């Protein structure tokens, strides 16, 4: 049990400035009923008026204090537009470009990439629009680049429109410097053959590649001269949505800003991300050079209101804001917003999977410096790496699938990616045996990425890859997994987990442990409704000493967990508070 008064539990609901009605709703949810006799059912739906749902005790506890719970993060606003539905096609509205009119052939007879990219550029010049790729198979010999906001590339459906990629990123762009040195490929964790990345960032990346340098990937490009301070921020607490700032003259409703927190010499920010307490205080941070390269911590967020010196944010604060961390709202690299990829399959030419860290870059869809973007009904096949989130936040990946000969990272989430939602996803069993020397991870998160959600998944292979870099406050829920992968992570990247990591209703079909049950590894975490599992040859030890303040509930009985899906239940709760 967590101890009251620790770093992870300070504060109260009233200090979060919640309206009285919101508190009343949360309290009603905690007892299983809402006003008017309506109750939240498993998965966040409602049951008939007058009915009563039977919730697991930890859910009732969370619902009474959803923004400040010590083990379970608030992720009810994850994804596109704080959890909104994805935009639906509106025929006859806005600019539309059919790639057939730009010279693409739907029979695979010629390279269609130039035509598709011309159509995308045309939509970008008009401030946005829809690029239609009708039913057919289109050969692409280059990267499909979405570099302007509000551009949607839409196929006829993942079973009807196929892009057949003939080349990899090493052939198309080259090899650039790797943090691992030598002949290691950085295409193991970056880039896509469909690449959503703002034009300015693309230029920075290609310049770095030409110089054989490590290209900056964060929200400010990891360059200390790439951002401007808009205002400093007064002390605030985890879960606050309204903060006080020194100067609002450069802030306005709807603006996207960056909350920037710098660590101090005692690494108290990193300790806070780990939940605080004796274990985090005793941890040795100074030699974790890859981990410390991820700070200052950068969290992009929209402003929803400005009143005097009070600023309301789209989502609650992911951490405390303390003076010793020099808290600021700053500018950020101009992100890609409102862009998406829908209704298509990207199929790479089938080649054997490369040995570990030597991926050639047959990569699927990458979101880089993207905010409020999405993929829907997209399949990738025969790829080295499937769907990537690199310095990307508030994106939704819905109805996505990784299939074919097997991949290194089916899904990866890194370099300070926050508040993303991956739901209704599938990792299919590989169609050929894994070559020797390769590795399979699964659903990856690393690099201080926080408040990301994986929901309603079927993993016929892979694992829950917390890839060090101390990701914190992430949720995996309602997933069936044949746990046959292995997690990764360099020692210099530090801990596997920070605080408030939650696994909720996880059905492990082969009974193998390995980051499924995390109550013995992750500080201030919750393991709820995970199948009974047994250790195998990759056995981890806790990064932090002493009491981890973790919670374990309904172990071995995922069928008994209510709500069934933690994200669905939180999203329903978020609509009422």
């Amino acid at each position: 049990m967590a101890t009251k008064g620790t770093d992870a539990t300070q504060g109260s609901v009233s200090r979060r400035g919640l309206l009285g009605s919101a508190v009343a709703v949360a309290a009603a949810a905690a007892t299983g009923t809402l006003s008017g006799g309506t109750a939240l059912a498993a998965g966040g739906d409602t049951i008939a008026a007058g009915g009563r749902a039977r919730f697991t005790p930890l859910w009732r506890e969370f619902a009474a204090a959803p923004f400040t719970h010590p083990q379970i993060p608030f992720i009810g606003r994850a994804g596109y537009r704080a959890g909104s539905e994805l935009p639906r096609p509106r025929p006859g509205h806005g600019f539309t470009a059919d790639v057939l009119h730009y010279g693409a052939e739907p029979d695979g007879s010629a390279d269609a990439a130039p035509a598709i990219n011309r159509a995308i550029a045309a939509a970008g010049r008009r401030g946005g629009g829809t690029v239609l790729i009708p039913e057919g198979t289109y050969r692409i010999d280059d990267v499909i680049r979405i570099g302007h906001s509000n551009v949607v590339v839409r196929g006829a459906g993942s079973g009807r429109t196929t892009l057949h990629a003939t080349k990899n990123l090493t052939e198309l762009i080259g090899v650039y410097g790797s943090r691992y040195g030598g002949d290691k490929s950085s295409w193991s964790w970056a880039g896509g053959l469909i690449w959503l990345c703002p034009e300015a960032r693309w230029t920075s990346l290609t310049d770095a590649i030409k110089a054989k340098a490590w290209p900056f990937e964060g929200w400010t490009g990891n360059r200390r001269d790439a951002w401007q301070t808009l205002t400093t921020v007064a002390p605030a607490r985890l879960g606050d949505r309204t903060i006080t700032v020194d100067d609002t003259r450069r802030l306005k409703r709807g603006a996207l800003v960056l909350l920037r927190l710098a660590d101090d010499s005692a690494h108290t920010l990193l300790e806070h991300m780990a939940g605080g307490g004796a274990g985090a205080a005793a941890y040795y941070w100074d030699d974790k050079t890859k981990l410390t390269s991820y700070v200052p911590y950068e969290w992009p967020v929209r402003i929803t209101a400005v009143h005097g010196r009070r600023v309301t944010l789209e989502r609650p604060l992911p951490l405390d804001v303390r003076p010793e961390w020099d808290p600021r709202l700053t500018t950020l690299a101009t992100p890609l917003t409102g862009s998406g990829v829908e209704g298509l399959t990207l199929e790479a030419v089938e080649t054997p999977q490369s040995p570990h860290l030597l991926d050639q870059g047959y990569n699927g869809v990458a979101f880089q410096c993207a905010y409020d973007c999405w993929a829907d009904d997209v399949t990738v096949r025969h790829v080295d790496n499937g769907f990537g989130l690199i310095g990307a936040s508030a994106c939704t990946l819905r109805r996505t699938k990784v299939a074919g000969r097997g991949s290194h990272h089916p899904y990866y989430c890194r370099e300070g990616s926050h508040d993303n939602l991956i739901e209704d996803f599938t990792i299919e069993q590989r169609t050929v045996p894994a070559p020797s020397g390769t590795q399979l991870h699964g659903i990856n998160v690393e690099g201080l990425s926080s408040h990301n959600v994986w929901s309603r998944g079927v993993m016929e292979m892979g694992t829950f890859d917390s890839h060090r870099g101390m990701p914190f406050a992430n949720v995996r829920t309602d997933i069936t997994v044949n746990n046959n992968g292995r997690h990764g992570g360099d020692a210099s990247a530090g801990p596997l987990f920070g605080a408030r990591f939650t696994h909720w209703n996880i059905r492990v079909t082969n009974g193998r442990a390995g980051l499924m049950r995390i109550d013995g590894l992750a500080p201030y975490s919750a393991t709820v409704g995970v199948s009974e599992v047994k250790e195998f040859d990759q056995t981890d030890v806790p990064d932090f000493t002493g009491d981890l303040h973790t919670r374990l509930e309904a172990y071995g009985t995922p069928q008994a967990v209510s709500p069934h899906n933690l994200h669905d239940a939180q999203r329903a709760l978020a609509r009422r508070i």
Side-chain angles (χ1 to χ4, degrees):
M1 290 288 291
T3 304
K4 292 183 179 179
T6 64
D7 182 274
T9 59
Q10 290 175 351
S12 64
V13 172
S14 62
R15 292 179 64 181
R16 296 327 183 245
L18 297 178
L19 296 175
S21 59
V23 176
V25 169
T31 63
T33 60
L34 295 170
S35 59
T38 301
L40 287 169
D45 298 323
T46 59
I47 60 177
R52 184 175 296 273
R54 296 181 179 178
F55 294 113
T56 188
L58 197 50
W59 168 257
R60 294 198 300 267
E61 180 184 294
F62 168 83
F67 301 138
T68 59
H69 195 275
Q71 283 89 14
I72 300 176
F74 177 76
I75 42 83
R77 296 182 185 274
Y80 170 82
R81 287 288 181 181
S84 299
E85 292 297 320
L86 298 180
R88 293 296 86 203
R90 299 178 64 194
H93 289 77
F95 176 78
T96 300
D98 188 321
V99 299
L100 300 182
H101 299 160
Y102 288 78
E105 296 291 343
D107 58 3
S109 61
D111 179 15
I116 296 172
N117 283 326
R118 284 195 298 269
I120 291 171
R125 286 193 299 268
R126 288 164 174 80
T130 302
V131 174
L132 297 178
I133 308 180
E135 183 173 1
T137 297
Y138 300 80
R139 194 184 94 210
I140 58 170
D141 300 340
D142 202 352
V143 177
I144 302 304
R145 290 173 46 203
I146 303 175
H148 294 88
S149 293
N150 303 312
V151 173
V152 179
V153 173
R154 180 175 295 132
S158 60
R160 299 172 62 193
T161 296
T162 297
L163 305 184
H164 181 67
T166 63
K167 297 182 179 181
N168 58 55
L169 294 172
T170 299
E171 295 173 283
L172 295 171
I173 300 175
V175 178
Y176 65 87
S178 167
R179 283 178 170 173
Y180 291 98
D183 61 351
K184 301 299 188 291
S185 168
S186 287
W187 298 127
S188 297
W189 49 78
L193 293 168
I194 299 177
W195 200 333
L196 293 89
C197 176
E199 286 289 330
R201 178 52 56 88
W202 178 268
T203 300
S204 299
L205 286 164
T206 53
D207 287 347
I209 291 165
K210 291 174 184 176
K212 303 293 185 182
W214 174 258
F216 30 83
E217 295 181 344
W219 284 100
T220 55
N222 291 335
R223 288 174 47 188
R224 302 302 177 252
D225 60 348
W227 52 271
Q228 296 179 354
T229 296
L230 300 173
T231 184
T232 55
V233 182
R237 305 307 302 271
L238 165 73
D240 286 349
R241 277 193 64 198
T242 298
I243 58 176
T244 300
V245 302
D246 290 339
D247 186 353
T248 59
R249 286 176 296 178
R250 299 177 65 186
L251 306 179
K252 62 180 181 180
R253 183 176 182 271
L256 188 60
V257 297
L258 198 70
L259 173 67
R260 189 175 186 273
L261 301 176
D263 204 5
D264 57 15
S265 60
H267 297 300
T268 60
L269 176 58
L270 290 174
E271 290 180 11
H272 177 53
M273 292 172 177
Y283 187 81
Y284 188 71
W285 305 96
D286 285 334
D287 63 348
K288 309 304 186 296
T289 53
K290 188 174 181 181
L291 173 64
T292 54
S293 74
Y294 296 130
V295 289
Y297 175 76
E298 300 172 336
W299 181 63
V301 65
R302 285 195 191 279
I303 294 172
T304 59
V306 179
H307 297 292
R309 293 174 53 214
R310 303 281 285 170
V311 176
T312 302
L313 307 175
E314 187 174 38
R315 294 176 174 85
L317 289 177
L319 296 164
D320 285 356
V321 171
R322 300 179 186 173
E324 56 265 37
W325 302 330
D326 190 24
R328 301 167 181 266
L329 294 183
T330 76
T331 59
L332 63 159
T334 302
L336 195 73
T337 60
S339 293
V341 180
E342 302 178 352
L344 57 82
T345 289
L346 172 67
E347 180 176 277
V349 60
E350 187 171 0
T351 59
Q353 184 180 346
S354 298
H356 191 224
L357 300 180
L358 295 179
D359 298 338
Q360 295 299 297
Y362 289 108
N363 294 350
V365 184
F367 294 79
Q368 186 156 4
C369 200
Y371 193 96
D372 281 341
C373 294
W374 69 91
D376 185 22
D377 184 26
V378 175
T379 295
V380 297
R381 184 174 287 115
H382 304 321
V383 294
D384 293 334
N385 300 282
F387 293 87
L389 296 157
I390 314 109
S393 292
C395 295
T396 293
L397 278 59
R398 177 173 171 263
R399 298 189 299 169
T400 57
K401 181 186 298 184
V402 180
R405 51 87 159 159
S407 55
H408 181 192
H409 293 101
Y411 292 82
Y412 60 96
C413 178
R414 58 187 307 274
E415 290 283 343
S417 293
H418 313 290
D419 305 302
N420 297 293
L421 171 63
I422 301 94
E423 62 180 351
D424 301 304
F425 67 94
T426 302
I427 301 173
E428 290 189 350
Q429 183 60 259
R430 64 191 315 135
T431 54
V432 296
S436 62
T438 62
Q439 281 204 20
L440 166 65
H441 296 311
I443 51 176
N444 156 284
V445 61
E446 59 181 291
L448 297 183
S449 297
S450 67
H451 294 84
N452 301 289
V453 181
W454 292 262
S455 170
R456 290 195 303 272
V458 175
M459 298 174 59
E460 296 177 359
M461 64 177 191
T463 192
F464 289 0
D465 178 33
S466 291
H467 211 90
R468 299 200 176 272
M470 201 168 69
F472 65 94
N474 298 286
V475 167
R476 294 157 174 152
T477 183
D478 191 8
I479 298 170
T480 300
V481 53
N482 176 39
N483 185 29
N484 64 355
R486 303 174 71 89
H487 79 78
D490 187 76
S492 67
L496 282 165
F497 300 96
R500 300 186 309 284
F501 220 106
T502 300
H503 288 176
W504 187 289
N505 186 10
I506 307 299
R507 304 168 295 274
V508 186
T509 60
N510 61 348
R512 196 176 87 163
L515 305 193
M516 298 289 121
R517 175 178 171 175
I518 57 174
D519 57 296
L521 291 172
Y524 293 94
S525 65
T527 300
V528 181
V530 173
S531 299
E532 187 172 345
V533 292
K534 295 182 180 180
E535 295 294 342
F536 69 115
D537 61 308
Q538 189 178 40
T539 302
D540 294 291
V541 298
D543 292 293
F544 303 104
T545 58
D547 187 353
L548 295 179
H549 302 277
T550 61
R551 303 287 290 272
L552 178 67
E553 189 172 296
Y555 176 57
T557 57
Q559 69 278 4
V561 175
S562 181
H564 185 78
N565 183 297
L566 180 61
H567 172 253
D568 287 349
Q570 284 206 30
R571 181 156 53 183
L573 184 61
R575 296 189 185 108
R576 296 168 169 83
I577 56 177

